[in-house]
């Protein structure tokens, strides 16, 4: 039942899909080249090379000596004290050294290997202020021991913990207040500088927040994690704001010249973010790199400037976010941070609106009702097919009309076998008199293009699918593997995905079925169709390689879609469409006055011009 135009639509869809997947494949190859270049460089250390004061103990020692008369002895020679707070979703270990969260574990998630999921707690991680000092080196807060002022659980089960770093005078100190709500991935962090206007030189108009973060290998494929490691940020000036990002695979450093409201290190399924709730970071800079170590994805180092107005008491309201890339959750924070989830980007950025307004709400709604996300994907497939069913029916109806017109098309083909221009004109005239749209079979295929890219973006980043089982699939967010190969096959991989095999088989079944219908409809004649006849058989083989390493959720959708398509074709062909009634309707249409559209008139004019040119050349 697939006519020539349906095949063209299918080929356009397939070529665009191949192009998009090729684009992603190129990104992976670019990372491989980047990795090779990194391996060829001789470096003293694998970490980012930051300010000398951040990694050299002797620098901190000199700083301590220069501040000896300003800070009490216990600030530099104290004993580390750890306190653990559990709010239901986060397990946070605070340390008095630096007065910061030393370790953050997400309780409801695990790594791919079943270990606790750590978003902070690596030796590389750092969170400190760099405060200028009069006649001394800057005060770097992570080198000193704070005093624990209070740790209490409030009646609403929230926690409050406070630290203080006293200076030489009782009226000079740095104070941290943390507020942790139950079942919340955010940590409110109030920073209070009391009397430091006498400590900070008058010429210094800002203090620096130093932030180092390390993304660990948490998922199945570290190469995909490195490809997806990105830094997102929100610039905000007056009423204007802009959310942008860069990938560490392409960019290793960036200077922020405009104020920032927040900055986020986005991993494949999680993020670590710093938010300024009381204003903006005046400016900042960040540098980072992808790691060569197997258990580390990448590392970043940031310096974010906060304006210091030289008042006796200065307060900054910040927020630390350690959480999953859950769209609904992040959107509830109302700061635009949900945009770190790539629901559509690049030349297909427009599909993010399809995801936000249609597919994602239906996906999440089904997920609330049904506990198995594999079944949710199948039901989502059915919903999408129902939504496009009117167009699908029109497509099959158009194909059935083409089948009914086969004898007349064959007669025209025999009559004008030596004049293709005349044949095309008469064929168009026949379609118009019969009320047949030659492009009717293209619409459903073309409509699936944005749907495919929307689903690709959604399923490759949906944390709801992470580590979710379905039948033999252990994790719907990554590929399923029934056999791991001891070698890597080019353009295929080092494993065998059963879902991809089944999707390929059903695609070939559809190709065979449609080929038979094309033959019955007389759509296979002519040399111009020779190439298109075999494309539906060739493309599934290409997809076998492309889909083999994609998320199992996406492959499951297309497997279910193929099965539903086959069933719909059988039902429509055998139980809904009546070819005799279609034939009678076509005959009735032929009796009606012919009314050509402007597009058809223009097409006929072009065909007549081409025919005239061909006759002139023949006459010469």
């Amino acid at each position: 039942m697939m006519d020539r135009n349906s095949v063209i639509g299918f080929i356009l869809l397939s070529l665009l899909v191949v192009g998009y997947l090729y684009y992603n494949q190129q990104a992976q190859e670019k990372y491989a080249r980047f990795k090779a270049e990194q391996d060829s460089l001789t470096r003293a250390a694998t970490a980012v090379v930051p300010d000398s004061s951040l990694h050299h103990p002797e620098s901190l020692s000199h700083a301590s000596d220069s501040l000896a008369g300003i800070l009490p002895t216990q600030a530099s020679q104290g004993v580390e004290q750890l306190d653990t707070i559990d709010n239901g979703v986060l397990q946070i270990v605070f340390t008095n050294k630096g007065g910061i969260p030393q370790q953050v574990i997400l309780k409801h998630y695990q790594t791919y290997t079943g270990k606790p999921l750590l978003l902070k707690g690596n030796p590389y991680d750092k969170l400190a202020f760099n405060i200028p000092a009069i006649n001394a080196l800057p005060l770097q807060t992570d080198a000193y021991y704070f005093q624990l002022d209070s740790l209490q659980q409030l009646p609403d089960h929230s926690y409050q913990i406070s630290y203080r770093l006293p200076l030489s005078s009782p009226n000079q100190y740095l104070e941290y207040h943390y507020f942790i709500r139950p079942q919340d991935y955010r940590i409110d962090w109030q920073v209070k500088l009391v009397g430091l206007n006498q400590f900070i030189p008058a010429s210094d108009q800002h203090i620096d927040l130093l932030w180092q973060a390390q993304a660990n290998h948490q998922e199945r494929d570290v190469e995909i994690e490195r490809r997806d490691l990105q830094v997102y940020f929100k610039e905000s000036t007056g009423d204007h704001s802009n959310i942008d990002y860069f990938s560490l695979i392409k960019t290793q450093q960036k200077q922020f010249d405009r104020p920032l409201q927040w900055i986020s290190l986005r991993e494949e399924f999680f993020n670590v973010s710093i938010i300024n709730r009381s204003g903006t970071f005046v400016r900042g800079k960040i540098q980072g790199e992808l790691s060569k170590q197997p258990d580390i994805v990448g590392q970043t180092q940031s310096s974010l400037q906060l304006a210091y107005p030289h008042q006796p008491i200065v307060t900054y309201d910040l927020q630390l976010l350690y959480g999953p890339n859950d769209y609904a959750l992040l959107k509830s924070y109302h700061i635009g941070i949900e945009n770190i989830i790539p629901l559509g980007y690049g030349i297909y950025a427009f599909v993010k609106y399809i995801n936000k307004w249609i597919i994602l709400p239906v996906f999440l709604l089904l997920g609330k009702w049904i506990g198995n996300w594999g079944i949710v994907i199948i039901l989502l497939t059915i919903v999408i097919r129902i939504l496009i069913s009117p167009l699908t029916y029109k497509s099959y109806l158009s194909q059935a009309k083409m089948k009914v017109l086969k004898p007349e098309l064959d007669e025209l083909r025999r009559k004008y076998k030596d004049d293709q221009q005349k044949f095309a004109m008469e064929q168009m005239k026949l379609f118009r008199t019969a009320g047949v749209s030659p492009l009717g079979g293209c619409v459903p295929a073309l409509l699936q293009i944005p749907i495919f890219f929307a689903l690709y973006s959604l399923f490759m980043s949906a944390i709801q699918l992470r580590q979710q089982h379905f039948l033999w699939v252990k994790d719907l967010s990554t590929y399923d593997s029934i056999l791991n190969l001891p070698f890597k096959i080019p353009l295929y991989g080092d494993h065998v995905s059963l879902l991809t095999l089944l999707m390929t088989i059903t695609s070939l079944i559809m190709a065979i079925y449609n080929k038979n219908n094309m033959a019955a409809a007389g759509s296979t004649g002519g040399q111009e169709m020779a190439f298109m006849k075999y494309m539906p058989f060739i493309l599934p083989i290409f997809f076998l390689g492309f889909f083999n390493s994609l998320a199992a959720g996406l492959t499951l959708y297309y497997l279910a879609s193929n099965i539903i398509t086959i069933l719909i074709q059988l039902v429509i062909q055998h139980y809904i469409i009546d070819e005799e009634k279609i034939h009678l309707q076509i005959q009735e249409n032929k009796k009606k006055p012919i009314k050509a559209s402007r597009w058809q008139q223009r097409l006929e004019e072009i065909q007549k011009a081409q025919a005239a040119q061909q006759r002139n050349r023949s006459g010469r």
Side-chain angles (χ1 to χ4, degrees):
M1 296 174 64
M2 181 176 284
D3 62 0
R4 174 179 176 179
N5 293 289
S6 298
V7 175
I8 294 174
F10 175 78
I11 292 172
L12 288 174
L13 168 64
S14 302
L15 291 177
L16 283 169
V17 171
V18 170
Y20 185 73
L21 295 174
Y22 174 77
Y23 171 81
N24 282 276
Q25 181 73 17
Q26 290 295 102
Q28 295 183 28
E29 291 176 0
K30 183 173 182 179
Y31 165 70
R33 292 193 298 269
F34 166 82
K35 185 177 178 183
E37 292 172 2
Q38 293 292 94
D39 291 339
S40 66
L41 298 175
T42 55
R43 295 185 176 183
T46 58
V48 178
V49 181
D51 241 345
S52 58
S53 63
L54 297 186
H55 277 287
H56 296 293
E58 63 271 17
S59 299
L60 296 178
S61 176
H62 294 325
S64 298
D65 292 342
S66 70
L67 294 168
I70 301 175
L71 293 169
T73 304
Q74 62 268 28
S76 57
Q77 300 178 7
V79 177
E80 186 173 22
Q81 175 185 342
L82 303 178
D83 292 282
T84 302
I85 291 177
D86 188 328
N87 73 341
V89 294
L90 296 178
Q91 180 179 298
I92 312 163
V93 178
F94 284 90
T95 174
N96 65 326
K97 188 174 183 181
I100 58 172
Q102 183 189 73
Q103 184 184 81
V104 179
I105 294 176
L106 270 64
K107 296 186 60 180
H108 293 169
Y109 298 93
Q110 294 180 327
T111 68
Y112 187 78
T113 57
K115 296 179 181 178
L117 201 145
L118 188 75
L119 285 188
K120 190 179 190 302
N122 306 289
Y124 179 83
D125 292 339
K126 184 185 189 74
L127 190 62
F129 281 98
N130 192 50
I131 303 176
I134 299 175
N135 299 325
L137 292 176
L139 168 65
Q140 211 168 105
T141 58
D142 63 327
Y144 301 98
Y145 293 90
F146 285 58
Q147 297 175 358
L148 177 64
D149 264 8
S150 65
L151 171 58
Q152 57 181 327
Q153 185 175 16
L154 305 178
D156 63 352
H157 302 290
S158 298
Y159 287 90
Q160 185 172 321
I161 182 169
S162 300
Y163 290 98
R164 177 180 290 190
L165 179 66
L167 301 184
S168 56
S169 168
N171 296 323
Q172 289 183 327
Y173 56 87
L174 174 65
E175 199 168 60
Y176 293 163
H177 297 284
Y178 296 97
F179 185 73
I180 301 101
R181 289 174 291 272
Q183 306 296 322
D184 198 330
Y185 292 99
R186 297 167 295 174
I187 303 172
D188 291 346
W189 180 21
Q190 185 184 78
V191 181
K192 183 179 291 187
L193 283 65
V194 178
L196 265 65
N197 56 318
Q198 301 174 11
F199 177 85
I200 299 174
S203 58
D204 287 290
Q205 302 297 317
H206 66 267
I207 61 174
D208 293 330
L209 174 60
L210 307 177
W211 175 41
Q212 291 180 191
Q214 174 176 299
N216 296 324
H217 176 30
Q218 318 267 26
E219 310 304 330
R220 182 176 195 167
D221 194 330
V222 70
E223 305 299 326
I224 294 178
E225 288 182 275
R226 287 171 179 155
R227 183 196 67 191
D228 289 347
L229 189 62
Q230 298 170 327
V231 174
Y232 277 77
F233 52 94
K234 182 178 181 180
E235 297 174 319
S236 182
T237 306
D239 295 332
H240 177 73
S241 63
N242 176 58
I243 297 175
D244 205 350
Y245 76 97
F246 63 89
S247 301
L248 289 184
I249 194 173
K250 298 178 180 178
T251 305
Q252 284 72 57
Q253 61 182 359
K254 184 173 179 62
Q255 187 86 23
F256 302 108
D257 297 322
R258 292 195 290 178
L260 297 175
Q261 183 182 354
W262 53 259
I263 184 170
S264 176
L265 178 62
R266 175 196 171 270
E267 303 176 23
E268 187 176 358
F269 290 109
F270 302 94
N271 76 90
V272 179
S273 309
I274 295 182
I275 303 155
N276 191 338
R277 297 194 305 153
S278 57
T280 58
F281 300 104
V282 179
R283 61 181 60 88
K285 60 183 177 181
I286 185 170
Q287 55 182 338
E289 69 175 5
L290 300 177
S291 176
K292 296 178 290 184
Q293 300 182 34
D295 58 340
I296 299 176
V297 177
Q299 296 171 327
T300 61
Q301 175 192 298
S302 306
S303 175
L304 306 172
Q305 293 185 358
L306 287 163
Y308 183 71
H310 285 275
Q311 298 295 324
I313 299 177
V314 178
T315 301
Y316 304 103
D317 288 319
L318 307 178
Q319 199 170 65
L320 307 174
L321 171 60
Y322 302 94
N325 296 339
D326 185 315
Y327 185 85
L329 174 70
L330 297 180
K331 188 176 181 180
S332 68
Y333 298 156
H334 303 293
I335 57 174
I337 202 167
E338 71 274 7
N339 288 285
I340 70 172
I341 302 175
L343 296 178
Y345 56 93
I347 60 174
Y348 301 103
F350 68 94
V351 302
K352 67 182 178 182
Y353 301 106
I354 300 175
N355 271 326
K356 288 181 180 180
W357 299 337
I358 302 175
I359 296 179
L360 185 58
V362 175
F363 179 69
L364 296 178
L365 181 63
L366 292 173
K368 289 182 180 180
W369 294 341
I370 302 166
N372 188 292
W373 285 97
I375 297 176
V376 168
I377 291 174
I378 293 174
L379 290 177
L380 179 65
T381 310
I382 295 173
V383 170
I384 292 175
R385 296 309 305 239
I386 290 174
L387 290 176
I388 65 173
S389 60
L391 293 175
T392 303
Y393 172 75
K394 290 183 179 179
S395 171
Y396 292 143
L397 183 61
S398 176
Q399 294 165 18
K401 290 179 179 179
M402 296 291 292
K403 184 177 179 181
V404 171
L405 290 175
K406 177 183 180 300
E408 296 178 65
L409 286 172
D410 289 343
E411 179 63 29
L412 289 175
R413 192 173 287 111
R414 286 192 296 268
K415 185 176 180 180
Y416 301 105
K417 61 181 179 179
D418 297 327
D419 190 346
Q420 290 299 316
Q421 291 290 339
K422 184 64 174 177
F423 168 72
M425 292 173 59
E426 293 298 323
Q427 179 181 241
M428 188 63 64
K429 182 179 178 181
L430 175 63
F431 289 158
R432 192 167 67 251
T433 57
V436 176
S437 173
L439 298 178
C442 293
V443 176
L446 293 175
L447 185 63
Q448 291 186 58
I449 294 175
I451 293 176
F452 169 82
F453 293 124
L455 291 171
Y456 176 86
S457 301
L458 175 63
F459 289 153
M460 294 298 285
S461 59
I463 195 169
Q464 290 81 4
L465 302 183
R466 185 179 182 269
Q467 297 181 2
Q468 293 297 312
H469 294 235
F470 180 68
L471 299 178
W472 67 87
V473 181
K474 296 180 180 179
D475 188 343
L476 286 167
S477 70
T478 185
Y479 57 82
D480 65 303
S481 177
I482 58 170
L483 178 64
N484 294 320
L485 304 175
F487 50 86
K488 187 171 184 178
I489 302 175
L491 302 178
Y492 183 73
D494 57 0
H495 61 275
V496 178
S497 165
L498 179 57
L499 277 177
T500 304
L501 286 176
L502 294 175
M503 186 199 73
T504 302
I505 291 171
T506 54
S507 296
L508 291 172
I509 292 174
M510 287 174 58
I512 295 171
Y513 180 79
N514 289 324
K515 182 180 180 235
N516 294 334
N517 283 317
M518 285 171 61
S523 300
T524 58
Q527 295 182 353
E528 74 279 1
M529 293 296 292
F531 172 73
M532 290 189 288
K533 280 194 301 184
Y534 298 104
M535 281 300 294
F537 297 93
I538 297 173
L539 287 173
I541 305 303
F542 281 109
F543 290 157
L544 179 65
F546 282 121
F547 278 83
N548 194 58
S549 296
L550 295 183
L554 181 66
T555 313
L556 175 61
Y557 168 83
Y558 271 91
L559 172 60
S561 181
N562 284 350
I563 294 173
I564 292 171
T565 299
I566 293 172
L567 294 176
I568 288 175
Q569 286 184 341
L570 292 173
V571 170
I572 290 179
Q573 182 181 18
H574 295 288
Y575 298 101
I576 297 179
I577 293 180
D578 189 333
E579 294 183 5
E580 292 184 3
K581 288 184 179 179
I582 291 175
H583 180 74
L584 293 174
Q585 182 63 46
I586 288 176
Q587 300 307 316
E588 290 296 323
N589 290 339
K590 288 181 179 180
K591 299 176 183 178
K592 297 178 182 178
I594 299 175
K595 185 179 181 181
S597 65
R598 291 184 179 180
W599 179 83
Q600 289 174 327
Q601 292 174 355
R602 180 60 179 163
L603 183 60
E604 286 186 0
E605 290 173 2
I606 293 173
Q607 290 174 338
K608 288 178 181 179
Q610 290 175 344
Q613 291 176 0
Q614 186 176 3
R615 285 194 299 269
N616 291 336
R617 285 195 297 267
S618 300
R620 294 175 184 174

